[in-house]
Amino acid sequence: MEVLSERKKRILHAVVASHIKTADPVGSRTVARTYRMGLSSATIRNEMADLEEMGYLEQPHTSAGRIPSQKGYRYYVDHLMTSSKLSDEEELSISRSLSSEKMREIEQIIANAVKVLSAVTRQTSLIMGPQFQKSTFQQMRILPLDERRGLVVLITDSGFIKNKVIELNQSLSPPELQQVVSYLNHKLFGLSIDQVTTSLINELKRDLFRRLEILEQAFILLEESLREEQQARVYLGGTTNILSQPEFKSVDKIHRMLSLFEQESLLFEILEKGLSEEGIVVKIGTENEYEDIHECSLITATYKIKQRVLGTIGVLGPTRMDYRWIIAVLRCLVDQLNRTLS
Amino acid sequence: MEVLSERKKRILHAVVASHIKTADPVGSRTVARTYRMGLSSATIRNEMADLEEMGYLEQPHTSAGRIPSQKGYRYYVDHLMTSSKLSDEEELSISRSLSSEKMREIEQIIANAVKVLSAVTRQTSLIMGPQFQKSTFQQMRILPLDERRGLVVLITDSGFIKNKVIELNQSLSPPELQQVVSYLNHKLFGLSIDQVTTSLINELKRDLFRRLEILEQAFILLEESLREEQQARVYLGGTTNILSQPEFKSVDKIHRMLSLFEQESLLFEILEKGLSEEGIVVKIGTENEYEDIHECSLITATYKIKQRVLGTIGVLGPTRMDYRWIIAVLRCLVDQLNRTLS
DNA sequence: AGTTAGCACTCGTCTCCTATGAGTGCTAAC
DNA sequence: GTTAGCACTCATAGGAGACGAGTGCTAACT
């Protein structure tokens, strides 16, 4: 990456800032006037021509001003953008709406966080629900309901509770059941759900079959219930916010964007990319893998439960988005979220 | 309501059918030709002028054809539309996609049904999740997790399982807990969740307080968990389908529609209206209470679990929708759904 | 009396044209 | 290296005209 002169940096910064604000191409005159460069528009024009040649700016058409290219945004995010602090009111409003007393259940907290985030940023926001597989097994219980049915309850360290009614093909005496359950708890305790593989389950099954040949179905169902949520839910908020963005005024574009939002599995994949790297990740335009969001940027952050990274939360908006501010909001929200969840 | 001559009925029917198919205003010539009336366009023109005067048709502008008015659609739905049977393939495809083996959990069945419905009809569809309050209490268990925490499990006759971790401010001996639980089960069994009012809970609380002054927090939480889901979830599918409809090409209209979809509580109210009446309800245009869907029609049906009406499922589309066919699809789907859920 | 042919009329849509103005690139002077 | 000046470009808006689908009305026909 070439080195830009101080002046070029200032001009690029000005162009990005102005375009983020107004959504219009910005001309040399505007830069000269509004950003008090102490230079005439002609000089700025020359510099902007240079910047265009280097690929940081582009022109929608000959007689329009310049807009930042993807490379320009990247440079802005990496080198020009100063980090910003939210105002006290903003911070307060986030923490207040996040911590309404009743919010005990983890899923509710997540669902609420996405609402808050989209409301504050006025963009679309997404959260990947905490990943079941990354939590560790804590205990399992079987609650007999009647002669033929039982309720399997599975509890993980991060507070997940999953349950499933199972049918037993033979009635079980409480002590027998107790025995099975405590054996399983002993074997499984502390393992992450990821580690409860089919082969491990088969092994346990073999062990138990020797003693009681009953729980066949219970096992199948336990196994199923573990596999089934391989893919955590994705929560969406403010999906219609993109409709207010001037860059999305073609129905066709809107259609493609919104269709994407209906495909949870795709959203999941998109968010999953941010999971590997702790902290904030900014993906601009075509840096995103999916074609439908090549005109968008995605800012993601990871959140944790008890020090373990469990999910991703992100904001999706047009490439022309207020990176500085949104990153600040995201930082604040994740902080709060981490605290609430632990 | 006036009586229409046989001929007027045929013409109205033709106009509605043609407009549903093409979305364009339909002219006298089209009616004469495509529907083989054995009449000249001029005659039809006269009849159409009559129908317009009576309020069944309207003209977007002087030199355009006619489109059915809301009243026209109403007449069509009430008097002209014959009921239709789905083709075997259609029926098969619905029942197949609805009954994939693994679908044990009630919420998954519901979520899947809405997907199928929107995919088949290519409209937006909504389901009100089964109403917790309408089910009856079956049993409650408290599972001690450790010294200070317990898991409350609530099971209803329709297969709902709700659970919640509670903190006990004092440790409880298993027999004490057992005592409380069996007392509660005894008192609550068979009541619908609706009937478990705050005053009833208070009464129970008084009874128990005399014996053990412990479960204060457990009670608060039980109460909360009952109240909290007063309002069942609404599942949405195919929200972007309306974007393909030619009547929704203004971004503004789309925006208003989609914003509505983000407000779950409003959707709930809309669907709730259909709950009172068993069977299929068609609401056309302004017959819907909410202004944002005054250009839409909503067809709803109720579904049951074990003979009890528990929720509403519906299709939302432009007033110009294929009522006949969609009603047939909805009938078929609800049938399947009722069978699956019982 | 009901039906039909004929015709003038309306009005939305499409296309072409022009005026406008923002913003550029280039050149020459400072 | 910087700036003023000027010719040039091009998206956008508005207006004029052609087109055509479809109507309402009248007069003639059965």
Side-chain angles (χ1 to χ4, degrees):
Chain A
M1 174 130 343
E2 318 96 311
V3 174
L4 294 183
S5 71
E6 242 359 270
R7 197 164 72 182
K8 283 201 173 58
K9 283 188 192 171
R10 284 188 63 201
I11 291 174
L12 178 55
H13 196 152
V15 172
V16 172
S18 167
H19 185 251
I20 283 178
K21 209 160 168 189
T22 66
D24 291 321
V26 3
S28 52
R29 225 181 110 77
T30 318
V31 174
R33 242 185 328 147
T34 5
Y35 293 86
R36 307 224 139 280
M37 293 274 161
L39 291 168
S40 77
S41 64
T43 311
I44 306 223
R45 214 138 57 222
N46 289 330
E47 293 286 44
M48 281 166 79
D50 287 354
L51 283 168
E52 180 172 2
E53 209 166 322
M54 298 187 209
Y56 293 102
L57 295 180
E58 51 197 32
Q59 258 182 317
H61 56 267
T62 334
S63 73
R66 305 301 209 292
I67 58 173
S69 67
Q70 185 172 316
K71 186 174 170 190
Y73 278 120
R74 182 84 268 170
Y75 193 89
Y76 168 77
V77 169
D78 290 343
H79 302 109
L80 303 177
M81 185 177 66
T82 56
S83 78
S84 117
K85 187 97 179 55
L86 293 185
S87 73
D88 286 352
E89 301 110 73
E90 288 175 313
E91 207 155 313
L92 201 67
S93 99
I94 291 176
S95 64
R96 198 163 32 210
S97 41
L98 212 58
S99 67
S100 91
E101 348 70 54
K102 285 225 209 160
M103 309 273 298
R104 290 297 181 110
E105 306 290 344
I106 192 165
E107 310 225 326
Q108 276 174 47
I109 296 173
I110 296 289
N112 192 48
V114 84
K115 254 187 215 160
V116 172
L117 185 55
S118 61
V120 172
T121 60
R122 262 158 284 138
Q123 304 282 357
T124 301
S125 60
L126 352 134
I127 302 196
M128 190 170 83
Q131 286 209 273
F132 191 53
Q133 294 84 53
K134 304 273 187 242
S135 359
T136 69
F137 189 95
Q138 202 172 54
Q139 60 175 309
M140 173 190 153
R141 298 286 181 95
I142 295 183
L143 213 68
L145 294 178
D146 50 37
E147 294 74 37
R148 297 181 306 98
R149 298 185 310 151
L151 180 70
V152 181
V153 181
L154 207 68
I155 300 163
T156 73
D157 65 333
S158 44
F160 274 104
I161 302 165
K162 288 190 64 78
N163 45 221
K164 189 150 203 143
V165 175
I166 60 170
E167 314 244 331
L168 310 166
N169 49 5
Q170 205 179 319
S171 71
L172 270 179
S173 73
E176 281 171 323
L177 205 59
Q178 192 47 48
Q179 211 180 343
V180 175
V181 168
S182 62
Y183 175 77
L184 287 177
N185 274 320
H186 173 69
K187 281 292 193 184
L188 296 175
F189 182 84
L191 292 182
S192 83
I193 304 300
D194 267 344
Q195 293 174 290
V196 185
T197 58
T198 311
S199 62
L200 174 57
I201 288 190
N202 282 334
E203 192 186 312
L204 294 178
K205 222 164 9 183
R206 259 197 318 279
D207 278 10
L208 283 174
F209 259 123
R210 255 170 246 141
R211 288 190 281 170
L212 355 128
E213 302 180 328
I214 322 170
L215 278 172
E216 174 64 4
Q217 213 197 346
F219 258 115
I220 294 174
L221 283 161
L222 171 66
E223 202 172 341
E224 251 179 34
S225 94
L226 289 176
R227 298 288 148 245
E228 143 193 311
E229 294 227 355
Q230 278 299 20
Q231 197 172 294
R233 270 206 65 192
V234 174
Y235 297 77
L236 269 171
T239 49
T240 61
N241 288 349
I242 53 156
L243 300 188
S244 320
Q245 302 293 340
E247 32 268 277
F248 288 93
K249 52 186 164 41
S250 118
V251 177
D252 193 54
K253 254 187 223 170
I254 294 174
H255 200 344
R256 272 190 321 228
M257 283 296 290
L258 294 181
S259 305
L260 175 70
F261 293 160
E262 287 199 329
Q263 295 172 267
E264 201 173 3
S265 55
L266 276 188
L267 295 178
F268 181 79
E269 285 180 47
I270 291 171
L271 281 177
E272 209 181 15
K273 302 250 186 309
L275 203 59
S276 50
E277 213 168 321
E278 202 164 324
I280 296 210
V281 177
V282 180
K283 294 244 182 197
I284 300 168
T286 57
E287 293 169 12
N288 289 295
E289 213 161 288
Y290 288 88
E291 204 180 328
D292 292 335
I293 52 170
H294 272 6
E295 295 180 29
C296 295
S297 287
L298 176 68
I299 307 182
T300 55
T302 52
Y303 65 86
K304 293 182 267 188
I305 301 179
K306 303 197 177 145
Q307 313 305 331
R308 210 171 310 115
V309 174
L310 277 191
T312 314
I313 178 165
V315 176
L316 184 72
T319 27
R320 180 194 65 77
M321 74 201 284
D322 192 343
Y323 297 92
R324 195 174 114 92
W325 182 63
I326 288 183
I327 287 174
V329 173
L330 210 46
R331 277 235 166 77
C332 167
L333 191 112
V334 167
D335 262 16
Q336 296 276 354
L337 198 57
N338 286 341
R339 223 165 304 145
T340 315
L341 290 175
S342 298
Chain B
M1 175 133 342
E2 317 96 311
V3 173
L4 294 183
S5 72
E6 240 2 89
R7 196 164 73 180
K8 284 203 173 56
K9 284 187 192 170
R10 284 187 62 200
I11 292 173
L12 178 54
H13 196 152
V15 172
V16 172
S18 165
H19 185 250
I20 282 178
K21 209 161 167 189
T22 65
D24 291 321
V26 4
S28 51
R29 224 181 112 76
T30 318
V31 174
R33 242 183 330 148
T34 2
Y35 294 86
R36 308 225 140 278
M37 292 273 158
L39 291 169
S40 79
S41 65
T43 312
I44 305 223
R45 216 143 50 224
N46 289 329
E47 294 285 44
M48 281 167 77
D50 287 355
L51 282 168
E52 179 171 2
E53 208 167 321
M54 296 187 210
Y56 294 100
L57 295 180
E58 50 197 32
Q59 261 183 313
H61 54 267
T62 332
S63 72
R66 305 297 207 296
I67 58 173
S69 67
Q70 186 172 314
K71 187 175 170 189
Y73 280 120
R74 181 86 267 166
Y75 193 89
Y76 168 77
V77 168
D78 290 343
H79 302 110
L80 303 176
M81 186 177 64
T82 57
S83 78
S84 117
K85 186 102 178 53
L86 293 186
S87 73
D88 286 352
E89 301 112 71
E90 289 175 313
E91 206 156 313
L92 201 67
S93 99
I94 291 177
S95 63
R96 199 166 27 209
S97 40
L98 212 59
S99 65
S100 90
E101 347 72 55
K102 284 227 208 156
M103 308 272 299
R104 290 298 182 110
E105 305 290 345
I106 192 165
E107 309 225 326
Q108 276 174 47
I109 296 174
I110 296 288
N112 193 46
V114 83
K115 255 188 214 159
V116 173
L117 185 56
S118 61
V120 173
T121 60
R122 261 158 284 137
Q123 303 283 358
T124 300
S125 60
L126 353 136
I127 302 196
M128 190 169 80
Q131 285 210 276
F132 191 51
Q133 295 84 54
K134 303 274 186 243
S135 356
T136 68
F137 190 96
Q138 204 172 52
Q139 59 174 308
M140 173 192 154
R141 298 288 181 93
I142 295 182
L143 214 71
L145 294 178
D146 51 37
E147 293 75 36
R148 297 181 307 98
R149 299 183 311 151
L151 180 70
V152 180
V153 181
L154 209 67
I155 300 163
T156 73
D157 64 334
S158 45
F160 273 104
I161 302 165
K162 288 189 64 76
N163 44 221
K164 190 153 200 140
V165 175
I166 60 169
E167 314 243 335
L168 308 167
N169 49 6
Q170 207 179 319
S171 72
L172 270 179
S173 72
E176 282 171 322
L177 206 58
Q178 192 46 47
Q179 213 181 338
V180 175
V181 169
S182 63
Y183 174 77
L184 288 176
N185 274 319
H186 173 68
K187 282 292 193 185
L188 296 175
F189 183 84
L191 293 180
S192 83
I193 303 301
D194 267 343
Q195 293 173 289
V196 184
T197 58
T198 311
S199 62
L200 174 57
I201 289 190
N202 282 334
E203 191 185 311
L204 295 177
K205 222 161 14 177
R206 261 199 314 281
D207 278 10
L208 283 175
F209 258 124
R210 256 172 246 140
R211 287 189 282 167
L212 355 128
E213 301 179 327
I214 318 169
L215 278 173
E216 175 62 6
Q217 213 197 342
F219 258 114
I220 295 175
L221 284 161
L222 171 67
E223 200 171 342
E224 253 178 32
S225 94
L226 289 175
R227 298 288 148 245
E228 143 193 311
E229 294 226 356
Q230 279 298 21
Q231 197 174 295
R233 269 206 65 193
V234 173
Y235 297 76
L236 269 171
T239 48
T240 60
N241 287 349
I242 53 158
L243 300 189
S244 321
Q245 302 293 341
E247 32 268 276
F248 288 93
K249 50 184 169 27
S250 114
V251 177
D252 194 53
K253 254 188 222 171
I254 293 174
H255 200 342
R256 271 190 322 230
M257 283 296 290
L258 293 182
S259 305
L260 175 70
F261 293 160
E262 288 200 330
Q263 294 172 268
E264 200 173 5
S265 55
L266 278 187
L267 295 178
F268 181 80
E269 285 180 45
I270 291 170
L271 282 177
E272 209 181 14
K273 302 250 185 306
L275 204 59
S276 52
E277 212 167 325
E278 203 165 325
I280 295 207
V281 178
V282 180
K283 295 243 178 197
I284 301 169
T286 57
E287 294 169 12
N288 290 296
E289 213 160 287
Y290 287 88
E291 205 182 326
D292 292 335
I293 52 171
H294 273 4
E295 294 179 30
C296 295
S297 286
L298 177 67
I299 307 182
T300 55
T302 52
Y303 66 85
K304 293 182 268 190
I305 301 178
K306 304 200 176 140
Q307 315 304 331
R308 207 168 315 113
V309 174
L310 277 192
T312 313
I313 176 165
V315 176
L316 184 72
T319 28
R320 180 195 66 77
M321 73 201 284
D322 192 343
Y323 296 92
R324 195 173 114 91
W325 181 65
I326 287 183
I327 287 173
V329 173
L330 210 46
R331 277 232 167 77
C332 166
L333 191 111
V334 167
D335 262 18
Q336 298 276 354
L337 198 57
N338 286 341
R339 221 165 304 146
T340 315
L341 289 175
S342 298

